[in-house]
């Protein structure tokens, strides 16, 4: 596939405003004081996109930036909180499709491994990257979502460090601003063959599902594939341009048996938002809720080919 994300380095260099912000942003402690619109313009240019008209955004990623500034429904704070979201989902739909919470902690020193099962997941509730898998407690090995190996001491420090960070200030995704950080220990979902289940990320515009982005075989092939709701492959991916290769979106992923459930339950959640990415798991035919993600990759992952960014963006009604 062509890596055809539009670059804008020349215009960024020519912008005095962005030059000033760039200097300030080099000091992380000062970033929180940059007004959100200016901060988003800096991140947008830094990500290589061309400027857009804030009064008339056109693409999916442009409209996500607009929504960060203008769509502040308090319910979204519950949705992005991985602990509170499960309580909300349980209240709406019951316990059958909720991944079991084993314990919650205010800091990593409270984690008592002896009280956890042999397999479990540790994660922060307030960000997107602090997720660690323990497949065998006796081994003492933990793995992040890229399957990089760590000791418990290493991941405990990473979790504690993450608790000190307000995720909002890094991306200006408003829903994260008021999330109260904690650590969750969760039941690990595994298929009958012992593998982690695929992650089915369904992009909704309003209540209407648009496409399904599959994170396939994270412990093996680790491909990203895109399908429509009838499980026909679509000719694009929605990931970092640097991660796109000729092999991206080429794996033949079987249609999940619980896809119909994902679409039905998903529409009931998506109706509260202009657009949203809803994550689900299929474990041997049973659906489980994953995450509610209002801003896929904070609105900075390009579509490849990029024309699909505009195609789906024109369907999003902001007002």
């Amino acid at each position: 596939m062509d890596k055809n994300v539009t670059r804008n380095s020349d215009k960024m260099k020519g912008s005095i405003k962005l030059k000033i912000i760039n200097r300030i942003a080099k000091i992380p402690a000062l970033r929180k004081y940059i007004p959100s619109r200016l901060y988003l313009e800096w991140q947008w240019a830094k990500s290589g996109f061309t400027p857009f008209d804030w009064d008339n955004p056109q693409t999916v990623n442009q409209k996500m930036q607009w929504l960060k500034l203008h769509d502040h429904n308090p319910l979204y704070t519950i949705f992005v909180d991985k602990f509170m979201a499960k309580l909300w989902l349980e209240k709406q739909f019951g316990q059958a499709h909720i991944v079991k919470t084993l314990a919650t902690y205010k800091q990593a020193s409270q984690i008592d491994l002896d009280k956890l099962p042999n397999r479990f997941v540790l994660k922060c509730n307030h960000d997107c990257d602090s997720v660690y898998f323990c497949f065998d407690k006796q081994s003492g090995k933990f793995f992040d979502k890229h399957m990089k190996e760590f000791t418990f001491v290493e991941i405990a420090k990473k979790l504690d460090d993450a608790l000190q960070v307000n995720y909002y200030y890094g991306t200006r995704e408003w829903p994260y601003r008021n999330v109260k950080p904690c650590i969750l220990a969760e039941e690990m979902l595994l298929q009958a063959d012992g593998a982690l289940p695929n992650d089915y990320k369904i992009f909704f515009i309003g209540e209407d599902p648009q496409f399904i982005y599959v994170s396939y075989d994270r412990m093996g092939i680790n491909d990203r594939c895109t399908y429509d709701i009838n499980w026909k492959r679509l000719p694009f991916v929605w990931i970092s341009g640097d991660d796109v290769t000729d092999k991206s979106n080429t794996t033949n992923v079987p249609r999940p048996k619980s896809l119909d459930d994902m679409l039905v339950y998903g529409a009931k959640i998506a109706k509260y938002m202009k657009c949203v990415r809803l994550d689900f798991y299929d474990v041997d035919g049973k659906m489980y809720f994953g995450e509610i993600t209002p801003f896929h990759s904070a609105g900075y992952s390009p579509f490849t080919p990029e024309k699909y960014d505009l195609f789906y963006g024109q369907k999003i009604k902001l007002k």
Side-chain angles (χ1 to χ4, degrees):
M1 294 184 179
D2 293 332
K3 299 180 181 180
N4 53 6
V5 181
T6 304
R7 297 295 166 184
N8 187 41
S9 58
D10 291 340
K11 289 186 179 180
M12 182 177 179
K13 290 177 182 176
S15 170
I16 296 175
K17 179 175 63 177
L18 291 179
K19 280 184 178 181
I20 294 172
I21 296 173
N22 194 49
R23 284 194 171 189
I24 297 172
K26 287 181 178 179
I27 305 174
L30 297 180
R31 291 183 181 181
K32 65 189 297 183
Y33 299 107
I34 301 173
S36 289
R37 176 164 164 171
L38 292 178
Y39 185 87
L40 291 174
E41 289 177 358
W42 168 73
Q43 276 200 329
W44 184 259
K46 188 168 172 282
S47 298
F49 294 102
T50 56
F52 66 92
D53 182 356
W54 281 95
D55 294 324
N56 190 30
Q58 295 294 310
T59 69
V60 173
N61 284 311
Q62 290 171 7
K63 290 185 176 181
M64 284 186 178
Q65 307 312 315
W66 189 95
L67 289 167
K68 288 180 188 180
L69 290 183
H70 299 289
D71 191 13
H72 293 178
N73 185 334
L75 185 59
Y76 302 165
T77 298
I78 295 174
F79 286 167
V80 301
D81 183 327
K82 294 178 178 63
F83 177 65
M84 296 302 295
K86 288 202 286 185
L87 298 182
W88 185 88
L89 290 167
E90 183 177 328
K91 184 176 180 180
Q92 302 297 315
F93 307 115
Q95 297 180 342
H97 302 287
I98 308 295
V99 180
K100 184 178 180 181
T101 300
L102 303 172
T104 61
Y105 314 98
K106 293 182 179 179
Q107 56 192 33
S109 62
Q110 297 177 334
I111 301 172
D112 187 343
L113 295 177
D114 291 336
K115 293 183 178 180
L116 294 174
N118 191 45
R119 294 191 297 262
F120 57 90
V121 179
L122 291 174
K123 63 172 64 171
C124 286
N125 69 319
H126 72 300
D127 65 12
C128 295
D129 298 315
S130 304
V131 181
Y132 301 97
F133 301 91
C134 179
F135 297 96
D136 178 7
K137 185 168 64 175
Q138 302 307 314
S139 73
K141 297 178 180 179
F142 290 77
F143 299 85
D144 66 10
K145 58 186 181 181
H146 304 293
M147 294 300 129
K148 182 179 179 181
E149 183 179 322
F150 298 92
T151 66
F152 176 69
V153 172
E154 290 172 328
I155 66 113
K157 184 178 187 309
K158 288 179 178 291
L159 289 167
D160 275 339
D161 288 346
L163 292 176
Q164 305 307 311
V165 177
N166 188 320
Y167 191 73
Y168 160 77
Y169 288 109
T171 62
R172 292 302 203 273
E173 295 174 69
W174 180 84
Y176 290 96
R177 184 170 190 166
N178 297 314
V179 175
K180 186 176 181 180
C182 70
I183 300 169
L184 304 180
E186 287 186 345
E187 176 185 20
M188 180 181 287
L189 298 179
L190 291 177
Q191 300 180 118
D193 61 4
L196 291 170
N198 297 329
D199 191 354
Y200 300 93
K201 304 172 185 292
I202 307 178
F203 182 64
F204 284 81
I205 296 176
E207 297 179 53
D208 298 325
Q210 302 297 313
F211 58 84
I212 302 147
Y213 157 50
V214 187
S215 178
Y216 176 77
D217 189 15
R218 285 174 289 171
M219 298 174 68
I221 297 172
N222 200 26
D223 193 6
R224 301 294 184 272
C225 301
T226 314
Y227 292 87
D228 68 11
I229 61 173
N230 296 312
W231 214 247
K232 178 182 178 182
R233 187 185 301 280
L234 295 173
F236 66 87
V237 290
W238 194 15
I239 57 179
S240 170
D242 294 336
D243 293 333
V244 179
T245 71
D246 291 339
K247 295 183 179 180
S248 297
N249 197 23
T250 59
T251 305
N252 290 319
V253 182
R255 183 185 189 276
K257 295 179 181 178
S258 63
L259 179 60
D260 290 343
D261 287 338
M262 296 177 192
L263 296 173
V264 169
Y265 283 103
K268 294 178 180 180
I269 303 166
K271 68 182 181 180
Y272 294 99
M273 287 162 279
K274 304 290 187 183
C275 62
V276 65
R277 195 197 82 201
L278 299 177
D279 298 0
F280 299 91
Y281 303 106
D282 180 285
V283 180
D284 301 318
K286 181 177 179 180
M287 183 208 82
Y288 286 89
F289 292 108
E291 298 179 8
I292 302 174
T293 306
F295 308 100
H296 172 74
S297 295
Y300 298 121
S301 273
F303 283 76
T304 305
E306 66 179 337
K307 66 181 181 180
Y308 291 96
D309 198 357
L310 179 61
F311 175 78
Y312 289 104
Q314 290 179 333
K315 296 184 178 187
I316 300 171
K317 305 301 181 185
L318 297 178
K319 299 176 183 180

